Amino acid sequence: MLHGRVAVRVDADGVAQVRLARPDKMNALDMDMFDGLVAATELLQATRGVRAVVLHAEGRAFCAGLDMSRFGKMREGAPLDGLSALQARTHGPANRPQQVAWGWRALAVPVVAAVQGVAFGGGLQVALGADVRLLAADARMSVMEMRWGLVPDMAGIALMRELVRADIARDLVYSARIVEAEEACRIGLGTRVATDPLAEALAMAREIAGRNPDAVRAAKRLLNQMADGDDAQLLLAESVEQQRLIGSTNQREAVAASMERRAARFQDPA
């Protein structure tokens, strides 16, 4: 399935691949790419049986950020399509451009991003929306908005706060400097460097897809609360999720499969 510049495929194991498909422009973000990414998250949220997602891109770059033609329009003072009402909340807590990145965090299942080449500006923010980011050795990342007289506004601040120290976030935003893969992982923008990010992301997604899908979704809900919840809220949330899981059909199947040393046969969440 192709949505604008984004292709989506879900296999029989419940692993979805979402592929940015504009390699000739280093997968830069134009309105078709914005629309395609939002449509992909909406499709996956509505598709029964999806258990994990791999987010990746064609060509030599993950995403070079906002399309240069849009910066040309800014220089001329021309209005930008889709960016005239940024304060409107169109997708829960987010506006539409923010949903391009925040949508992956809001998705009910884990998302693993495979990142090669550059992930700059908005492209970095899309990658930050994933639960895990596997970086190629040639990957480079930058919070680049300050170079264009802007601030990160595609959920970058909300996503960075749980990934990097506050002073590092400030350094990245103020300087707009480019960080190589090893440093990106060391400071928290990436999870780890991978020899073949896409292959390793798919292997990770398949492993996740083989776990109790109820427990995986519960874990993501809990992990999404870590940055905001106080101790009492998090402790209660753990108890609520665990109470729902203990003795449930899929949890009993996880125990049986482990004890019998066989592949589990889980039911898809409703």
Side-chain angles (χ1 to χ4, degrees), residues 137-210:
D138 72 343
R140 295 184 297 154
M141 293 179 152
S142 176
V143 185
M144 193 164 276
E145 283 76 8
M146 193 63 69
R147 180 174 297 186
W148 306 105
L150 300 169
V151 296
D153 71 331
M154 287 174 52
I157 300 298
L159 293 166
M160 273 196 297
R161 64 177 167 174
E162 68 177 55
L163 298 174
V164 304
R165 282 188 349 223
D167 61 323
I168 291 175
R170 291 166 191 265
D171 169 38
L172 295 171
V173 171
Y174 296 150
S175 69
R177 68 186 181 88
I178 296 170
V179 297
E180 307 290 333
E182 291 287 352
E183 182 185 4
C185 291
R186 188 169 65 250
I187 64 178
L189 293 179
T191 304
R192 59 181 169 85
V193 176
T195 303
D196 187 336
L198 179 55
E200 294 185 36
L202 286 168
M204 180 182 293
R206 291 193 180 102
E207 182 176 359
I208 293 168

Side-chain angles (χ1 to χ4, degrees), residues 3-261:
H3 295 265
R5 302 190 188 280
V6 179
V8 180
R9 180 167 65 88
V10 182
D11 67 21
D13 296 322
V15 174
Q17 291 191 49
V18 178
R19 186 179 79 253
L20 281 64
R22 198 189 182 199
D24 56 318
K25 297 294 185 179
M26 299 176 72
N27 298 302
L29 297 164
D30 61 1
M31 283 310 300
D32 285 342
M33 186 70 85
F34 275 94
D35 291 344
L37 286 166
V38 172
T41 59
E42 292 173 345
L43 173 66
L44 294 174
Q45 195 74 281
T47 301
R48 185 178 174 85
V50 174
R51 297 188 179 182
V53 177
V54 173
L55 178 62
H56 63 106
E58 292 182 17
R60 61 193 176 94
F62 179 78
C63 178
L66 198 63
D67 189 281
M68 288 299 295
S69 65
R70 298 179 74 78
F71 287 116
K73 290 182 179 180
M74 289 182 190
R75 179 181 179 181
E76 297 164 5
L80 297 182
D81 295 338
L83 297 180
S84 59
L86 294 180
Q87 294 184 49
R89 303 296 94 183
T90 57
H91 294 74
N95 64 26
R96 189 171 182 81
Q98 289 167 334
Q99 185 69 4
V100 172
W102 188 256
W104 308 106
R105 177 58 54 88
L107 205 61
V109 299
V111 179
V112 183
V115 180
Q116 81 281 6
V118 302
F120 288 167
L124 171 62
Q125 292 172 85
V126 171
L128 294 182
D131 295 77
V132 175
R133 284 158 301 286
L134 304 184
L135 308 189
D138 72 343
R140 295 184 297 154
M141 293 179 152
S142 176
V143 185
M144 193 164 276
E145 283 76 8
M146 193 63 69
R147 180 174 297 186
W148 306 105
L150 300 169
V151 296
D153 71 331
M154 287 174 52
I157 300 298
L159 293 166
M160 273 196 297
R161 64 177 167 174
E162 68 177 55
L163 298 174
V164 304
R165 282 188 349 223
D167 61 323
I168 291 175
R170 291 166 191 265
D171 169 38
L172 295 171
V173 171
Y174 296 150
S175 69
R177 68 186 181 88
I178 296 170
V179 297
E180 307 290 333
E182 291 287 352
E183 182 185 4
C185 291
R186 188 169 65 250
I187 64 178
L189 293 179
T191 304
R192 59 181 169 85
V193 176
T195 303
D196 187 336
L198 179 55
E200 294 185 36
L202 286 168
M204 180 182 293
R206 291 193 180 102
E207 182 176 359
I208 293 168
R211 305 292 187 187
N212 175 0
D214 298 325
V216 170
R217 289 173 178 234
K220 180 155 183 176
R221 287 193 294 269
L222 287 171
L223 292 165
N224 279 353
Q225 295 179 58
M226 282 198 308
D228 296 322
D230 61 30
D231 291 343
Q233 291 171 326
L234 292 173
L235 290 169
L236 178 58
E238 288 179 4
S239 301
V240 169
E241 297 289 3
Q242 197 77 312
Q243 191 71 58
R244 290 173 179 158
L245 291 169
I246 292 174
S248 64
T249 299
N250 279 339
Q251 193 266 328
R252 287 186 281 110
E253 171 61 11
V255 173
S258 183
M259 293 181 69
E260 296 167 15
R261 298 184 179 181

